[in-house]
Amino acid sequence: MKSAVETLNPTRVRLTVEVPFEELKDSLDAAYKKINQQVTVKGFRKGKIPARVIDQRFGRGAVLEEAVNDALPKFYTEAINEAELNPLGQPEVDITELKDGETLNFTAEVDIRPTIEIPDYSGIEVTVDAVEVSDEDVEKSVEQLRERFASTSPVERAAEDGDVLTIDLQAKVDGEVLEDGVAEGVSYTIGSGELLEGIDDAVKGLEAGGEATFTSELKGGSAEGKEAEVTVKVTQVAARELPALDDDFAQLASEFDTLDELKADSRKRLENMKQYDQATQAQERVLDELLKLAEVPIPEKLLADEIQTRKHNLEHHQLGQMGIDLAKYLEIQGKTEEEFTAETEEQAVKGIKTQFILDELVNKEKLNVNQEELTEHLMRRAASSGMSPDQFAQAVVEGGQVPMLVGEVARGKALAVVVEAAKVTDTNGEVVDLEDDEDEVAEAVVAAAEGEPAEAVAEKKTEA
């Protein structure tokens, strides 16, 4: 077999392959054997039909077609390996010549990983938010905890902001009560914004037994998006009572004996959260600077497929779980379809560039992933997906996704190398010493590849 490579552009090549006919012998033998098992010819036992009879009865062309289909993947792979190419996706194969007993010639066009020169990243400098926790931050954190331990008690007075009401609702559209527009015994906190626009103004000032009517756009149900006449009746007004901020509250709400100890713990937790935010921000910004330094050509088909995959996942998975379609999502986001497409393409380009350049760094730095690192990453990915580690591991193995996870960890290690070499200062001008957890860096890499902002990753982490 002889092969030659023609570079069509930095991310696509055409292979020209010439195969002497004798190298098709194994595939021809396999073709005759396969046809033997599929057909019957009077006078011959199944599987014992001579090749000349098959040629006469079914045509030599059918045998050649079967043999070529069997042989092409092998010859294509040999040509790829010989040229030391890294193909992306399936090739477009064209048989240019097939002469029985003489030769098989074909071409194969395929996208390849581009050759990337790793830039000098030692001079990267980024600025991140300083880790600062104010007394107001601590007070707000303690107040949120206090809110969780609030109690309610019925009162005989007009409803005020912050009160918890028990209400009945009835919605009419065009004068007709909707089948799904009636609800009784609904609990609602004035000012929470959890129900319909306009309900707060309607119920404030009402006592138990009072009712009011207002107009609002329905947020869900059979008449979603339509203007409805809503009647609300208050059946109970309850005042929220917050516990006193003292040592008794600290003992009720935590493992601490005093309020001062509770506040000190809150400050420490807030500092840890901000430190994680800071580290994630540094990883994202260092990655952005690295991508600016590197020339990374993007295969057109790979980009188109990636954009399509992202749109499909959003429409059929994320939005499907939320119960809305793309049009509604764009309305909520205040974006046009053109803006959404441009944003998706930008995210896809960043994801592909990130993968290409970090994979090149993995090879250059000869970074490996051990079992402990893979297991730790798997556990974190399982937690973020809401699955148990065993369930997630089973899904990964069955889906053949182990190499994907290995790649994520390896890229995380590559980014950690760049972050370590970068100069990171905070907004106060202080040099930030990042103690990189490579698996957490891997999470930042995954987020970047998926177009998720660093702030969202940090939020997930701190919520966990």
Side-chain angles (χ1 to χ4, degrees):
M1 185 195 81
K2 293 192 302 182
S3 63
V5 180
E6 177 188 357
T7 300
L8 303 178
N9 61 50
T11 63
R12 192 167 179 85
V13 298
R14 179 188 293 122
L15 294 165
T16 301
V17 184
E18 298 179 8
V19 183
F21 204 80
E22 56 267 22
E23 294 188 31
L24 283 172
K25 183 179 183 308
D26 289 344
S27 294
L28 278 168
D29 291 344
Y32 279 116
K33 185 175 182 180
K34 181 177 180 179
I35 293 173
N36 242 309
Q37 299 299 322
Q38 294 175 338
V39 302
T40 58
V41 176
K42 189 175 181 180
F44 296 95
R45 285 182 296 165
K46 196 174 187 63
K48 299 297 182 180
I49 308 170
R52 59 179 177 77
V53 175
I54 290 177
D55 290 345
Q56 292 169 357
R57 295 292 298 272
F58 305 102
R60 174 72 167 174
V63 179
L64 287 175
E65 182 179 358
E66 182 66 39
V68 169
N69 287 340
D70 175 74
L72 277 178
K74 180 185 72 171
F75 293 128
Y76 165 73
T77 301
E78 287 180 8
I80 285 290
N81 292 338
E82 185 178 291
E84 298 182 345
L85 299 173
N86 293 311
L88 299 168
Q90 295 300 312
E92 296 178 8
V93 177
D94 181 26
I95 298 174
T96 56
E97 186 175 24
L98 175 57
K99 289 185 178 180
D100 194 358
E102 295 184 26
T103 187
L104 163 66
N105 297 336
F106 69 91
T107 62
E109 287 192 17
V110 67
D111 287 332
I112 60 169
R113 276 181 176 265
T115 300
I116 300 171
E117 291 293 328
I118 299 298
D120 179 8
Y121 50 80
S122 60
I124 289 178
E125 297 184 11
V126 297
T127 302
V128 296
D129 295 337
V131 174
E132 296 175 338
V133 177
S134 66
D135 291 343
E136 289 76 12
D137 292 332
V138 175
E139 294 298 332
K140 182 179 178 181
S141 175
V142 173
E143 191 63 26
Q144 289 173 342
L145 181 63
R146 188 182 177 206
E147 291 277 350
R148 289 167 52 188
F149 285 85
S151 59
T152 59
S153 58
V155 292
E156 295 182 1
R157 59 165 172 75
E160 301 173 354
D161 275 328
D163 285 344
V164 180
L165 309 183
T166 304
I167 57 176
D168 298 335
L169 294 166
Q170 182 186 82
K172 293 180 181 180
V173 173
D174 298 329
E176 297 291 330
V177 177
L178 300 172
E179 288 187 11
D180 56 354
V182 177
E184 297 180 348
V186 176
S187 179
Y188 177 67
T189 301
I190 299 178
S192 66
E194 293 175 350
L195 286 177
L196 299 167
E197 187 175 345
I199 192 171
D200 287 344
D201 290 337
V203 297
K204 274 191 284 189
L206 295 181
E207 298 184 18
E211 66 177 56
T213 300
F214 63 101
T215 301
S216 183
E217 181 180 311
L218 298 179
K219 295 182 178 180
S222 61
E224 180 181 1
K226 293 185 178 181
E227 289 288 324
E229 181 182 87
V230 182
T231 299
V232 55
K233 180 178 180 180
V234 177
T235 60
Q236 178 180 279
V237 179
R240 298 177 76 250
E241 298 177 358
L242 297 174
L245 276 178
D246 53 22
D247 292 346
D248 289 338
F249 168 70
Q251 294 167 22
L252 171 68
S254 70
E255 70 271 29
F256 301 105
D257 293 327
T258 68
L259 183 60
D260 287 342
E261 290 174 332
L262 173 60
K263 288 184 176 181
D265 180 70
S266 295
R267 183 178 295 276
K268 182 62 178 176
R269 285 190 300 103
L270 290 171
E271 287 175 351
N272 289 340
M273 290 166 60
K274 286 181 177 286
Q275 284 172 351
Y276 181 85
D277 292 349
Q278 185 187 67
T280 306
Q281 193 178 72
Q283 293 152 13
E284 178 74 10
R285 293 181 180 179
V286 167
L287 177 60
D288 285 342
E289 292 303 312
L290 177 65
L291 295 180
K292 290 177 186 176
L293 293 175
E295 288 290 333
V296 185
I298 305 295
E300 291 183 9
K301 187 174 186 306
L302 180 64
L303 177 59
D305 290 344
E306 179 66 15
I307 292 172
Q308 182 59 37
T309 297
R310 287 169 182 262
K311 287 184 175 180
H312 178 84
N313 288 341
L314 176 67
E315 288 189 67
H316 298 280
H317 297 293
Q318 300 172 41
L319 299 185
Q321 292 175 356
M322 296 166 61
I324 61 175
D325 59 14
L326 181 59
K328 186 65 177 177
Y329 169 76
L330 294 178
E331 180 186 334
I332 294 171
Q333 294 291 315
K335 297 177 183 175
T336 65
E337 189 167 349
E338 290 75 18
E339 290 171 334
F340 166 71
T341 298
E343 184 179 277
T344 303
E345 180 175 349
E346 181 182 347
Q347 293 170 349
V349 167
K350 181 177 180 179
I352 294 171
K353 282 187 174 182
T354 296
Q355 181 171 329
F356 280 176
I357 193 169
L358 292 183
D359 282 348
E360 191 65 30
L361 262 172
V362 168
N363 294 330
K364 180 182 178 182
E365 301 292 340
K366 296 181 172 57
L367 302 175
N368 296 311
V369 177
N370 60 41
Q371 186 60 48
E372 182 180 351
E373 291 168 334
L374 180 60
T375 300
E376 179 68 19
H377 184 59
L378 185 148
M379 302 255 315
R380 294 193 185 214
R381 291 280 268 152
S384 65
S385 69
M387 300 169 68
S388 71
D390 288 344
Q391 289 174 325
F392 187 78
Q394 182 177 354
V396 166
V397 172
E398 291 178 352
Q401 299 298 305
V402 173
M404 179 193 73
L405 288 188
V406 173
E408 289 174 357
V409 178
R411 291 177 202 119
K413 297 179 76 168
L415 180 56
V417 170
V418 183
V419 172
E420 185 177 351
K423 181 180 179 181
V424 182
T425 55
D426 65 21
T427 48
N428 292 330
E430 298 292 327
V431 175
V432 177
D433 182 18
L434 296 171
E435 297 180 2
D436 291 321
D437 181 327
E438 288 172 350
D439 196 68
E440 290 181 358
V441 181
E443 290 184 40
V445 172
V446 172
E450 294 177 350
E452 189 173 11
E455 289 78 5
V457 182
E459 184 178 343
K460 288 180 183 177
K461 176 68 178 178
T462 52
E463 284 178 352

